[in-house]
Amino acid sequence: MAKSLEAKFQEIADQLKDAVVDFTTLEVTTLTGDVKHIINTGTGSNKKTSFDMKNVVSKLNQTGSTKGKIELVAHTHIDFDHDTVNFIKSDLGKQGKQLFELHQTAVGTAHQARNGFLSFLQDIIV
């Protein structure tokens, strides 16, 4: 019984560690382009139209399933230990520079959210 309880605590600790690493990894991707025939329309009483980026990328990867073009403007990946990878498209142009500023704002907002989550965890643990 003690081993079973110890194993359960270890499982919970492992899940918490995975969640913390997942929630504290920061990833922001800024795309631009033209996407057609991909917008999801709600069904039944939910007639909302939604934009599902995973659906967009999936359909763009399927040959001939849609018309569209997406270009990567910038991508930032920051690990829990602060290892950082940045990609910025060369030859941004005026519109690209505006999109990059938007990307930088999104990165700053993501930093604030991550720091808020870490403070929340610290308050719970301490």
Side-chain angles (χ1 to χ4, degrees):
M1 175 97 172
K3 249 194 197 266
S4 174
L5 187 58
E6 185 178 320
K8 190 64 176 171
F9 279 128
Q10 185 60 49
E11 180 183 336
I12 291 169
D14 290 343
Q15 289 174 350
L16 182 59
K17 177 186 169 211
D18 291 345
V20 168
V21 170
D22 185 46
F23 284 124
T24 58
T25 299
L26 185 145
E27 193 141 15
V28 177
T29 302
T30 301
L31 304 168
T32 187
D34 181 28
V35 180
K36 300 176 183 176
H37 309 294
I38 297 180
I39 304 298
N40 294 333
T41 304
T43 58
S45 62
N46 180 11
K47 296 289 184 185
K48 282 182 151 182
T49 300
S50 64
F51 185 75
D52 180 355
M53 194 61 206
K54 289 180 182 176
N55 186 36
V56 170
V57 173
S58 171
K59 287 191 175 188
L60 284 174
N61 287 333
Q62 298 169 2
T63 306
S65 67
T66 189
K67 296 176 185 176
K69 177 182 176 184
I70 292 181
E71 293 180 23
L72 181 64
V73 173
H75 177 81
T76 300
H77 176 94
I78 304 173
D79 286 326
F80 179 70
D81 63 358
H82 301 288
D83 287 348
T84 303
V85 175
N86 285 302
F87 170 85
I88 303 163
K89 178 184 173 186
S90 62
D91 301 325
L92 286 173
K94 184 177 179 180
Q95 182 185 15
K97 287 179 183 176
Q98 291 172 336
L99 290 170
F100 180 67
E101 288 174 13
L102 178 67
H103 177 84
Q104 290 296 88
T105 300
V107 170
T109 301
H111 268 297
Q112 290 174 347
R114 179 170 76 170
N115 289 340
F117 177 72
L118 290 174
S119 293
F120 169 75
L121 285 179
Q122 182 179 3
D123 290 344
I124 289 175
I125 294 170
V126 175

PDB file of all heavy atoms in Angstrom, residues 69-93:
ATOM      1  N   LYS A  69      -2.110  31.097 -49.073  1.00  0.00           N
ATOM      2  CA  LYS A  69      -0.668  31.180 -48.911  1.00  0.00           C
ATOM      3  C   LYS A  69      -0.402  31.833 -47.560  1.00  0.00           C
ATOM      4  O   LYS A  69      -0.997  32.852 -47.235  1.00  0.00           O
ATOM      5  CB  LYS A  69      -0.078  32.031 -50.032  1.00  0.00           C
ATOM      6  CG  LYS A  69       1.414  32.239 -49.935  1.00  0.00           C
ATOM      7  CD  LYS A  69       1.889  33.134 -51.054  1.00  0.00           C
ATOM      8  CE  LYS A  69       3.369  33.410 -50.905  1.00  0.00           C
ATOM      9  NZ  LYS A  69       3.850  34.353 -51.920  1.00  0.00           N
ATOM     10  N   ILE A  70       0.446  31.216 -46.777  1.00  0.00           N
ATOM     11  CA  ILE A  70       0.819  31.767 -45.481  1.00  0.00           C
ATOM     12  C   ILE A  70       2.330  31.920 -45.455  1.00  0.00           C
ATOM     13  O   ILE A  70       3.060  31.027 -45.874  1.00  0.00           O
ATOM     14  CB  ILE A  70       0.372  30.845 -44.328  1.00  0.00           C
ATOM     15  CG1 ILE A  70      -1.146  30.822 -44.226  1.00  0.00           C
ATOM     16  CG2 ILE A  70       0.957  31.320 -43.007  1.00  0.00           C
ATOM     17  CD1 ILE A  70      -1.673  29.956 -43.113  1.00  0.00           C
ATOM     18  N   GLU A  71       2.778  33.062 -44.961  1.00  0.00           N
ATOM     19  CA  GLU A  71       4.207  33.316 -44.798  1.00  0.00           C
ATOM     20  C   GLU A  71       4.501  33.571 -43.327  1.00  0.00           C
ATOM     21  O   GLU A  71       3.740  34.254 -42.644  1.00  0.00           O
ATOM     22  CB  GLU A  71       4.633  34.537 -45.612  1.00  0.00           C
ATOM     23  CG  GLU A  71       4.536  34.349 -47.102  1.00  0.00           C
ATOM     24  CD  GLU A  71       4.977  35.596 -47.860  1.00  0.00           C
ATOM     25  OE1 GLU A  71       5.740  36.410 -47.299  1.00  0.00           O
ATOM     26  OE2 GLU A  71       4.544  35.740 -49.002  1.00  0.00           O
ATOM     27  N   LEU A  72       5.608  33.040 -42.873  1.00  0.00           N
ATOM     28  CA  LEU A  72       6.054  33.263 -41.506  1.00  0.00           C
ATOM     29  C   LEU A  72       6.741  34.619 -41.427  1.00  0.00           C
ATOM     30  O   LEU A  72       7.678  34.889 -42.174  1.00  0.00           O
ATOM     31  CB  LEU A  72       7.023  32.153 -41.086  1.00  0.00           C
ATOM     32  CG  LEU A  72       7.578  32.214 -39.680  1.00  0.00           C
ATOM     33  CD1 LEU A  72       6.463  32.067 -38.654  1.00  0.00           C
ATOM     34  CD2 LEU A  72       8.616  31.124 -39.479  1.00  0.00           C
ATOM     35  N   VAL A  73       6.251  35.486 -40.552  1.00  0.00           N
ATOM     36  CA  VAL A  73       6.862  36.798 -40.333  1.00  0.00           C
ATOM     37  C   VAL A  73       7.897  36.693 -39.227  1.00  0.00           C
ATOM     38  O   VAL A  73       9.028  37.141 -39.364  1.00  0.00           O
ATOM     39  CB  VAL A  73       5.798  37.860 -39.975  1.00  0.00           C
ATOM     40  CG1 VAL A  73       6.453  39.181 -39.590  1.00  0.00           C
ATOM     41  CG2 VAL A  73       4.820  38.048 -41.118  1.00  0.00           C
ATOM     42  N   ALA A  74       7.487  36.062 -38.114  1.00  0.00           N
ATOM     43  CA  ALA A  74       8.395  35.936 -36.974  1.00  0.00           C
ATOM     44  C   ALA A  74       7.948  34.770 -36.098  1.00  0.00           C
ATOM     45  O   ALA A  74       6.768  34.438 -36.043  1.00  0.00           O
ATOM     46  CB  ALA A  74       8.420  37.223 -36.161  1.00  0.00           C
ATOM     47  N   HIS A  75       8.919  34.179 -35.443  1.00  0.00           N
ATOM     48  CA  HIS A  75       8.645  33.089 -34.513  1.00  0.00           C
ATOM     49  C   HIS A  75       9.606  33.227 -33.343  1.00  0.00           C
ATOM     50  O   HIS A  75      10.803  33.432 -33.536  1.00  0.00           O
ATOM     51  CB  HIS A  75       8.845  31.731 -35.188  1.00  0.00           C
ATOM     52  CG  HIS A  75       8.637  30.589 -34.249  1.00  0.00           C
ATOM     53  ND1 HIS A  75       7.389  30.115 -33.936  1.00  0.00           N
ATOM     54  CD2 HIS A  75       9.513  29.856 -33.528  1.00  0.00           C
ATOM     55  CE1 HIS A  75       7.517  29.114 -33.072  1.00  0.00           C
ATOM     56  NE2 HIS A  75       8.793  28.945 -32.813  1.00  0.00           N
ATOM     57  N   THR A  76       9.062  33.134 -32.139  1.00  0.00           N
ATOM     58  CA  THR A  76       9.877  33.191 -30.928  1.00  0.00           C
ATOM     59  C   THR A  76       9.546  31.980 -30.076  1.00  0.00           C
ATOM     60  O   THR A  76       8.379  31.680 -29.850  1.00  0.00           O
ATOM     61  CB  THR A  76       9.586  34.480 -30.135  1.00  0.00           C
ATOM     62  OG1 THR A  76       9.897  35.611 -30.953  1.00  0.00           O
ATOM     63  CG2 THR A  76      10.403  34.536 -28.852  1.00  0.00           C
ATOM     64  N   HIS A  77      10.579  31.294 -29.630  1.00  0.00           N
ATOM     65  CA  HIS A  77      10.432  30.146 -28.731  1.00  0.00           C
ATOM     66  C   HIS A  77      11.369  30.369 -27.556  1.00  0.00           C
ATOM     67  O   HIS A  77      12.569  30.546 -27.741  1.00  0.00           O
ATOM     68  CB  HIS A  77      10.784  28.844 -29.449  1.00  0.00           C
ATOM     69  CG  HIS A  77      10.731  27.653 -28.546  1.00  0.00           C
ATOM     70  ND1 HIS A  77       9.617  26.865 -28.442  1.00  0.00           N
ATOM     71  CD2 HIS A  77      11.639  27.147 -27.680  1.00  0.00           C
ATOM     72  CE1 HIS A  77       9.856  25.898 -27.562  1.00  0.00           C
ATOM     73  NE2 HIS A  77      11.069  26.061 -27.087  1.00  0.00           N
ATOM     74  N   ILE A  78      10.791  30.388 -26.344  1.00  0.00           N
ATOM     75  CA  ILE A  78      11.595  30.575 -25.133  1.00  0.00           C
ATOM     76  C   ILE A  78      11.275  29.428 -24.180  1.00  0.00           C
ATOM     77  O   ILE A  78      10.137  29.270 -23.748  1.00  0.00           O
ATOM     78  CB  ILE A  78      11.314  31.927 -24.460  1.00  0.00           C
ATOM     79  CG1 ILE A  78      11.541  33.073 -25.451  1.00  0.00           C
ATOM     80  CG2 ILE A  78      12.185  32.101 -23.216  1.00  0.00           C
ATOM     81  CD1 ILE A  78      11.128  34.440 -24.935  1.00  0.00           C
ATOM     82  N   ASP A  79      12.291  28.635 -23.863  1.00  0.00           N
ATOM     83  CA  ASP A  79      12.125  27.515 -22.948  1.00  0.00           C
ATOM     84  C   ASP A  79      12.081  27.997 -21.505  1.00  0.00           C
ATOM     85  O   ASP A  79      12.443  29.130 -21.189  1.00  0.00           O
ATOM     86  CB  ASP A  79      13.281  26.515 -23.102  1.00  0.00           C
ATOM     87  CG  ASP A  79      13.167  25.695 -24.367  1.00  0.00           C
ATOM     88  OD1 ASP A  79      12.034  25.377 -24.787  1.00  0.00           O
ATOM     89  OD2 ASP A  79      14.226  25.357 -24.934  1.00  0.00           O
ATOM     90  N   PHE A  80      11.671  27.098 -20.627  1.00  0.00           N
ATOM     91  CA  PHE A  80      11.588  27.363 -19.198  1.00  0.00           C
ATOM     92  C   PHE A  80      12.910  27.897 -18.653  1.00  0.00           C
ATOM     93  O   PHE A  80      12.928  28.793 -17.804  1.00  0.00           O
ATOM     94  CB  PHE A  80      11.182  26.072 -18.475  1.00  0.00           C
ATOM     95  CG  PHE A  80      11.093  26.209 -16.989  1.00  0.00           C
ATOM     96  CD1 PHE A  80      10.080  26.962 -16.413  1.00  0.00           C
ATOM     97  CD2 PHE A  80      12.001  25.576 -16.160  1.00  0.00           C
ATOM     98  CE1 PHE A  80       9.975  27.086 -15.043  1.00  0.00           C
ATOM     99  CE2 PHE A  80      11.909  25.698 -14.786  1.00  0.00           C
ATOM    100  CZ  PHE A  80      10.888  26.457 -14.222  1.00  0.00           C
ATOM    101  N   ASP A  81      14.028  27.368 -19.162  1.00  0.00           N
ATOM    102  CA  ASP A  81      15.346  27.797 -18.674  1.00  0.00           C
ATOM    103  C   ASP A  81      15.872  29.026 -19.423  1.00  0.00           C
ATOM    104  O   ASP A  81      17.035  29.371 -19.329  1.00  0.00           O
ATOM    105  CB  ASP A  81      16.353  26.645 -18.756  1.00  0.00           C
ATOM    106  CG  ASP A  81      16.606  26.178 -20.171  1.00  0.00           C
ATOM    107  OD1 ASP A  81      15.974  26.712 -21.116  1.00  0.00           O
ATOM    108  OD2 ASP A  81      17.427  25.267 -20.355  1.00  0.00           O
ATOM    109  N   HIS A  82      15.009  29.680 -20.192  1.00  0.00           N
ATOM    110  CA  HIS A  82      15.284  30.918 -20.923  1.00  0.00           C
ATOM    111  C   HIS A  82      16.103  30.732 -22.192  1.00  0.00           C
ATOM    112  O   HIS A  82      16.523  31.726 -22.788  1.00  0.00           O
ATOM    113  CB  HIS A  82      15.930  31.983 -20.024  1.00  0.00           C
ATOM    114  CG  HIS A  82      15.076  32.350 -18.858  1.00  0.00           C
ATOM    115  ND1 HIS A  82      13.927  33.088 -18.980  1.00  0.00           N
ATOM    116  CD2 HIS A  82      15.179  32.021 -17.551  1.00  0.00           C
ATOM    117  CE1 HIS A  82      13.371  33.222 -17.796  1.00  0.00           C
ATOM    118  NE2 HIS A  82      14.098  32.583 -16.908  1.00  0.00           N
ATOM    119  N   ASP A  83      16.358  29.492 -22.614  1.00  0.00           N
ATOM    120  CA  ASP A  83      16.960  29.298 -23.932  1.00  0.00           C
ATOM    121  C   ASP A  83      15.967  29.837 -24.951  1.00  0.00           C
ATOM    122  O   ASP A  83      14.770  29.541 -24.889  1.00  0.00           O
ATOM    123  CB  ASP A  83      17.233  27.814 -24.213  1.00  0.00           C
ATOM    124  CG  ASP A  83      18.404  27.269 -23.417  1.00  0.00           C
ATOM    125  OD1 ASP A  83      19.144  28.080 -22.823  1.00  0.00           O
ATOM    126  OD2 ASP A  83      18.570  26.043 -23.380  1.00  0.00           O
ATOM    127  N   THR A  84      16.460  30.655 -25.876  1.00  0.00           N
ATOM    128  CA  THR A  84      15.575  31.371 -26.786  1.00  0.00           C
ATOM    129  C   THR A  84      16.001  31.163 -28.232  1.00  0.00           C
ATOM    130  O   THR A  84      17.189  31.185 -28.545  1.00  0.00           O
ATOM    131  CB  THR A  84      15.608  32.885 -26.474  1.00  0.00           C
ATOM    132  OG1 THR A  84      15.238  33.064 -25.111  1.00  0.00           O
ATOM    133  CG2 THR A  84      14.670  33.667 -27.361  1.00  0.00           C
ATOM    134  N   VAL A  85      14.995  30.975 -29.089  1.00  0.00           N
ATOM    135  CA  VAL A  85      15.210  30.924 -30.533  1.00  0.00           C
ATOM    136  C   VAL A  85      14.268  31.948 -31.150  1.00  0.00           C
ATOM    137  O   VAL A  85      13.064  31.945 -30.874  1.00  0.00           O
ATOM    138  CB  VAL A  85      14.907  29.526 -31.109  1.00  0.00           C
ATOM    139  CG1 VAL A  85      15.026  29.539 -32.624  1.00  0.00           C
ATOM    140  CG2 VAL A  85      15.818  28.479 -30.506  1.00  0.00           C
ATOM    141  N   ASN A  86      14.808  32.831 -31.967  1.00  0.00           N
ATOM    142  CA  ASN A  86      14.013  33.828 -32.680  1.00  0.00           C
ATOM    143  C   ASN A  86      14.229  33.658 -34.172  1.00  0.00           C
ATOM    144  O   ASN A  86      15.353  33.428 -34.618  1.00  0.00           O
ATOM    145  CB  ASN A  86      14.436  35.250 -32.302  1.00  0.00           C
ATOM    146  CG  ASN A  86      13.947  35.641 -30.933  1.00  0.00           C
ATOM    147  OD1 ASN A  86      12.759  35.626 -30.668  1.00  0.00           O
ATOM    148  ND2 ASN A  86      14.873  35.974 -30.062  1.00  0.00           N
ATOM    149  N   PHE A  87      13.157  33.788 -34.924  1.00  0.00           N
ATOM    150  CA  PHE A  87      13.245  33.833 -36.377  1.00  0.00           C
ATOM    151  C   PHE A  87      12.496  35.078 -36.823  1.00  0.00           C
ATOM    152  O   PHE A  87      11.372  35.326 -36.388  1.00  0.00           O
ATOM    153  CB  PHE A  87      12.594  32.608 -37.028  1.00  0.00           C
ATOM    154  CG  PHE A  87      12.467  32.756 -38.523  1.00  0.00           C
ATOM    155  CD1 PHE A  87      13.520  32.435 -39.353  1.00  0.00           C
ATOM    156  CD2 PHE A  87      11.305  33.270 -39.091  1.00  0.00           C
ATOM    157  CE1 PHE A  87      13.415  32.596 -40.718  1.00  0.00           C
ATOM    158  CE2 PHE A  87      11.196  33.436 -40.454  1.00  0.00           C
ATOM    159  CZ  PHE A  87      12.254  33.103 -41.276  1.00  0.00           C
ATOM    160  N   ILE A  88      13.126  35.853 -37.684  1.00  0.00           N
ATOM    161  CA  ILE A  88      12.492  37.038 -38.246  1.00  0.00           C
ATOM    162  C   ILE A  88      12.730  36.998 -39.748  1.00  0.00           C
ATOM    163  O   ILE A  88      13.874  36.851 -40.203  1.00  0.00           O
ATOM    164  CB  ILE A  88      13.084  38.332 -37.653  1.00  0.00           C
ATOM    165  CG1 ILE A  88      12.950  38.311 -36.137  1.00  0.00           C
ATOM    166  CG2 ILE A  88      12.391  39.556 -38.248  1.00  0.00           C
ATOM    167  CD1 ILE A  88      13.826  39.308 -35.430  1.00  0.00           C
ATOM    168  N   LYS A  89      11.659  37.104 -40.501  1.00  0.00           N
ATOM    169  CA  LYS A  89      11.741  37.084 -41.957  1.00  0.00           C
ATOM    170  C   LYS A  89      12.637  38.220 -42.448  1.00  0.00           C
ATOM    171  O   LYS A  89      12.571  39.337 -41.940  1.00  0.00           O
ATOM    172  CB  LYS A  89      10.331  37.233 -42.534  1.00  0.00           C
ATOM    173  CG  LYS A  89      10.280  37.278 -44.028  1.00  0.00           C
ATOM    174  CD  LYS A  89       8.852  37.514 -44.497  1.00  0.00           C
ATOM    175  CE  LYS A  89       8.847  37.727 -45.989  1.00  0.00           C
ATOM    176  NZ  LYS A  89       7.529  38.097 -46.474  1.00  0.00           N
ATOM    177  N   SER A  90      13.465  37.934 -43.415  1.00  0.00           N
ATOM    178  CA  SER A  90      14.270  38.996 -44.009  1.00  0.00           C
ATOM    179  C   SER A  90      13.385  39.813 -44.944  1.00  0.00           C
ATOM    180  O   SER A  90      12.334  39.350 -45.388  1.00  0.00           O
ATOM    181  CB  SER A  90      15.462  38.408 -44.762  1.00  0.00           C
ATOM    182  OG  SER A  90      15.018  37.588 -45.821  1.00  0.00           O
ATOM    183  N   ASP A  91      13.791  41.017 -45.239  1.00  0.00           N
ATOM    184  CA  ASP A  91      13.033  41.902 -46.131  1.00  0.00           C
ATOM    185  C   ASP A  91      11.585  42.055 -45.680  1.00  0.00           C
ATOM    186  O   ASP A  91      10.646  41.742 -46.415  1.00  0.00           O
ATOM    187  CB  ASP A  91      13.077  41.391 -47.585  1.00  0.00           C
ATOM    188  CG  ASP A  91      14.499  41.287 -48.112  1.00  0.00           C
ATOM    189  OD1 ASP A  91      15.329  42.137 -47.737  1.00  0.00           O
ATOM    190  OD2 ASP A  91      14.770  40.353 -48.887  1.00  0.00           O
ATOM    191  N   LEU A  92      11.406  42.556 -44.475  1.00  0.00           N
ATOM    192  CA  LEU A  92      10.067  42.683 -43.916  1.00  0.00           C
ATOM    193  C   LEU A  92       9.181  43.679 -44.663  1.00  0.00           C
ATOM    194  O   LEU A  92       7.988  43.457 -44.789  1.00  0.00           O
ATOM    195  CB  LEU A  92      10.146  43.098 -42.442  1.00  0.00           C
ATOM    196  CG  LEU A  92      10.571  42.030 -41.451  1.00  0.00           C
ATOM    197  CD1 LEU A  92      10.774  42.644 -40.077  1.00  0.00           C
ATOM    198  CD2 LEU A  92       9.549  40.918 -41.388  1.00  0.00           C
ATOM    199  N   GLY A  93       9.746  44.771 -45.123  1.00  0.00           N
ATOM    200  CA  GLY A  93       8.925  45.813 -45.725  1.00  0.00           C
ATOM    201  C   GLY A  93       8.113  46.530 -44.661  1.00  0.00           C
ATOM    202  O   GLY A  93       8.146  46.188 -43.480  1.00  0.00           O
TER     203      GLY A  93
END
